[in-house]
Amino acid sequence: MKLFTIAIISIFFSGVLESCVKPDPAKPNDQNQLSDIWIAVPGKGVAETKFNGVVNASQDTIYFNLPAEFPFGSGKGIDLTQVMVRANIPVDARISPSLASPQDLSNPLRVQLIAGNGISKSVVLAARTNGINPDVDFRYNALNGRSTKIDPSYPYYKNRTAESIADEIALAGYQAVHYMVVNELEVRSDLVDAFHQRGIAVWLLVFGNGTYSAWGFPAGWENWKMQVLNPGNVAAGFTYFSPFSASYVAWKKSVLASLVSTIPFDGVEIFEPFFPDFAWNGIENAIYGDIGPNAQQAFQQKHGLSIPNFTNPADPNYYKTNTSLYNTWVQFRVDGLKDMHTEIFNGANGIRAARPDILVGAWGVGLNWGGAVSLLRELQGLDGASLVTALNPDIYFLETHWPDWIKTDLTPGYITDYQPFFDQVRNVKPNLPIGIQTDYGSHRNMIRSASWMHDFDSIATQRGYSTSMGYEYHIGGTTYFVKPKPVKAARQSNGSIIISFNKRIDATTGGDANHYVFKQNGAVQQVNLTSVTVDGNRVILQAGNFPAGSFEIAVSYIQDTPSLWLFTDFPANEVVAGSMVTVP
């Protein structure tokens, strides 16, 4: 798999080194911008090696997009241990740290640009060699507009190329995806690259409170487990981990720092970083934790106390009796989740140390329930204001809680009732973007239609959310109730033609050459197909006699893929007979 390289840039500022004129101390300059910034390779001429920097929309990152091969055809890339960047800054400005010689460029660099009057501005300098589209502002796309979650472990994404997955998501109009990782040791870098090539930003989204797969985890990982009340009610296949396990937090930090150093994710986020569960009918009846040795030891070390009792009303430390102890316990849990985040993201050798340029997303939960803000703090350790104050993320996301999303008759406007959660964060971070996530159809009774999804996105924008998303891309009503349709066709350099559909299509009906009719100027053309290959939502047609110039392809009898859906007993949908797509 292709790896992504971000380079530290060392700076030579011609404005600083070439000018001997001292600034007027009485009138210091307030300018602290870089200008005319480019990469130069030592030993090569400027004309040959001038790779200009591209500033993102938020003006906080400058990207240098380097060729995969240099010189072209050599099979080698630029020596990233010997890279310099030349730039101009105002005559009395300076940069910290000052780097005037080539550096080892294995990581990005955050620098401070300091104007003559002392005003400072932070900028990340990063070089990329994986061919990412330099005309796309991925940071903007990651924080704004429609996005979706994908979980590549679902059958819908199996046995198809990364290009077909990215093609389908792009045709659906999404500008960002949240790549759900169920095991941090199984991540597809080719999928990230394919999304980037289509201008789609990619978040790395990992679970904060457990895993569905412990494959490849280090010896002793069982000690990370969270102990809960009523363990028999835990979702099948899921293992809860304790945020009070120092070993778990250290491993999580290390593996995520490694991932973002080698795969070009635009952001990283810890999803569902809460304790189980919403104990609406009493803690003693719920999946409630952590009450195991990790939590007990941490509570004893911090407060010199034993944890409350949750099952025996006769115990003097029963949580409803000893309310002082219980309140200390509640705050301890809030602090535990906060400390886990800050260690993983901000700790030594953590995510921000590995990728200073990366976006950080924090997550909470919204719920339409009386007193829900304080209730979720008590029962699940969720305190959005506390978390964003400590972590200083780039965005905060609200997940729709299960008592809401399971409702069959839930209207898209339900998020209006999440205003207390929105305000809780905005009160401490007035300018922090906030996103909202809904569920498209995890239960059969609440599969959301295409119009419902559209209205949800529109209402989210009206309510001030910067981005909206759904879990999960392929489990909503568009999968079950929308017919497959050819959307575009394109000639390839090898002479083949790729037809892209709006959804994944069946390999048997899509692979039948008799289901394609070729027309030019209204007349049927005889085309001898030599190969018909289905790749997810795409069909690759090969022939030696495609018409020259523009022509049309009519498709019929092609079906979608019920066997790959979450609920497999729905009937297949079939393309409208004679649906046309134009080949330019």
Side-chain angles (χ1 to χ4, degrees):
M1 294 188 291
K2 180 170 56 178
L3 296 182
F4 169 79
T5 304
I6 292 184
I8 297 176
I9 312 301
S10 61
I11 310 295
F12 171 80
F13 294 104
S14 58
V16 172
L17 298 185
E18 294 174 4
S19 175
C20 295
V21 179
K22 294 182 180 180
D24 183 354
K27 297 180 180 180
N29 202 319
D30 62 357
Q31 299 299 307
N32 55 8
Q33 286 81 30
L34 292 171
S35 63
D36 193 25
I37 185 168
W38 73 91
I39 276 183
V41 178
K44 302 290 184 179
V46 171
E48 183 183 1
T49 67
K50 186 174 182 179
F51 303 108
N52 290 318
V54 178
V55 183
N56 70 339
S58 55
Q59 303 289 307
D60 59 6
T61 303
I62 299 174
Y63 294 110
F64 300 87
N65 293 279
L66 306 182
E69 290 185 328
F70 183 83
F72 181 76
S74 67
K76 299 179 180 179
I78 292 174
D79 181 1
L80 296 178
T81 67
Q82 295 291 317
V83 176
M84 299 181 70
V85 167
R86 296 182 183 274
N88 292 318
I89 61 173
V91 66
D92 61 346
R94 59 188 176 89
I95 187 170
S96 179
S98 177
L99 302 171
S101 60
Q103 303 290 312
D104 179 359
L105 310 180
S106 58
N107 292 290
L109 179 67
R110 186 180 298 275
V111 298
Q112 297 294 324
L113 303 175
I114 305 169
N117 66 355
I119 295 176
S120 178
K121 176 183 179 181
S122 176
V123 176
V124 172
L125 305 174
R128 311 193 282 195
T129 61
N130 69 334
I132 288 177
N133 186 345
D135 297 323
V136 176
D137 188 337
F138 289 97
R139 291 175 67 89
Y140 180 87
N141 287 355
L143 298 173
N144 297 276
R146 295 176 67 237
S147 59
T148 191
K149 286 186 175 182
I150 66 161
D151 179 353
S153 66
Y154 275 118
Y156 190 80
Y157 304 101
K158 301 291 188 182
N159 302 311
R160 61 189 294 192
T161 64
E163 287 72 23
S164 79
I165 297 172
D167 184 51
E168 181 176 342
I169 298 295
L171 290 175
Y174 294 107
Q175 62 187 34
V177 297
H178 298 256
Y179 180 160
M180 297 189 68
V181 172
V182 296
N183 185 311
E184 288 86 348
L185 304 180
E186 298 178 297
V187 182
R188 293 182 57 181
S189 65
D190 63 331
L191 191 53
V192 177
D193 287 345
F195 281 125
H196 278 160
Q197 290 164 12
R198 286 161 179 78
I200 298 173
V202 188
W203 286 90
L204 168 63
L205 184 148
V206 298
F207 284 96
N209 62 0
T211 186
Y212 280 101
S213 169
W215 176 86
F217 282 16
W221 69 268
E222 294 86 355
N223 296 325
W224 304 344
K225 289 183 180 180
M226 186 186 298
Q227 184 176 320
V228 300
L229 295 176
N230 305 298
N233 295 331
V234 175
F238 192 79
T239 300
Y240 282 109
F241 290 150
S242 174
F244 301 114
S245 168
S247 176
Y248 166 59
V249 174
W251 175 84
K252 193 84 166 182
K253 178 175 70 171
S254 175
V255 73
L256 292 180
S258 177
L259 271 176
V260 301
S261 295
T262 56
I263 300 177
F265 287 104
D266 300 287
V268 59
E269 51 196 335
I270 297 179
F271 178 60
E272 297 195 342
F274 50 66
F275 295 100
D277 189 13
F278 177 56
W280 63 273
N281 61 343
I283 287 175
E284 60 276 10
N285 300 311
I287 305 169
Y288 182 85
D290 179 18
I291 58 170
N294 288 304
Q296 293 175 26
Q297 181 179 0
F299 194 63
Q300 178 68 40
Q301 288 179 345
K302 185 171 184 178
H303 296 290
L305 299 169
S306 297
I307 71 171
N309 179 281
F310 298 98
T311 59
N312 181 12
D315 191 306
N317 285 335
Y318 185 59
Y319 76 103
K320 291 183 178 180
T321 303
N322 191 341
T323 55
S324 176
L325 176 64
Y326 180 59
N327 289 336
T328 300
W329 168 254
V330 168
Q331 184 62 52
F332 166 76
R333 283 154 52 91
V334 170
D335 292 341
L337 295 178
K338 178 180 64 178
D339 293 344
M340 179 185 73
H341 278 83
T342 55
E343 177 62 22
I344 290 173
F345 285 102
N346 300 341
N349 301 315
I351 291 172
R352 279 175 163 147
R355 283 277 306 277
D357 65 314
I358 203 162
L359 293 169
V360 170
W363 278 81
V365 173
L367 176 64
N368 182 15
W369 196 286
V373 172
S374 60
L375 195 60
L376 291 184
R377 184 181 188 277
E378 174 189 349
L379 297 177
Q380 300 194 259
L382 290 163
D383 187 329
S386 173
L387 179 58
V388 299
T389 299
L391 184 60
N392 194 28
D394 297 284
I395 189 170
Y396 181 75
F397 296 101
L398 277 175
E399 176 188 6
T400 299
H401 214 326
W402 65 261
D404 285 339
W405 66 252
I406 61 171
K407 297 174 182 175
T408 302
D409 58 352
L410 187 69
T411 66
Y414 75 93
I415 57 176
T416 301
D417 297 318
Y418 285 8
Q419 195 65 35
F421 293 95
F422 187 101
D423 292 342
Q424 179 196 29
V425 170
R426 278 289 171 84
N427 286 340
V428 296
K429 292 284 185 179
N431 299 317
L432 182 67
I434 300 177
I436 183 74
Q437 179 230 285
T438 192
D439 191 294
Y440 284 160
S442 289
H443 287 185
R444 189 185 179 100
N445 69 291
M446 44 70 62
I447 296 171
R448 309 305 181 195
S449 67
S451 61
W452 192 101
M453 298 179 197
H454 176 271
D455 290 345
F456 173 82
D457 291 332
S458 297
I459 294 170
T461 300
Q462 294 168 11
R463 300 300 302 181
Y465 292 95
S466 69
T467 182
S468 55
M469 78 189 83
Y471 174 84
E472 191 267 0
Y473 166 74
H474 87 291
I475 69 173
T478 54
T479 291
Y480 301 103
F481 309 124
V482 173
K483 296 178 182 293
K485 176 184 178 181
V487 179
K488 69 174 183 178
R491 298 178 189 264
Q492 305 303 298
S493 59
N494 64 359
S496 66
I497 290 173
I498 294 181
I499 303 175
S500 295
F501 287 75
N502 60 328
K503 62 195 306 188
R504 186 166 187 171
I505 61 171
D506 168 58
T508 300
T509 56
D512 190 331
N514 296 316
H515 295 170
Y516 303 90
V517 176
F518 302 86
K519 296 181 179 182
Q520 191 171 48
N521 299 322
V524 174
Q525 304 294 305
Q526 183 63 41
V527 174
N528 301 318
L529 291 174
T530 58
S531 175
V532 181
T533 304
V534 174
D535 171 25
N537 71 313
R538 308 190 304 173
V539 175
I540 300 95
L541 305 177
Q542 293 182 331
N545 64 331
F546 285 125
S550 177
F551 66 96
E552 293 77 39
I553 303 176
V555 301
S556 303
Y557 310 114
I558 295 174
Q559 298 181 347
D560 49 22
T561 56
S563 65
L564 302 177
W565 298 344
L566 180 60
F567 302 109
T568 59
D569 57 340
F570 278 86
N573 300 289
E574 187 171 292
V575 66
V576 174
S579 294
M580 304 285 284
V581 64
T582 299
V583 181

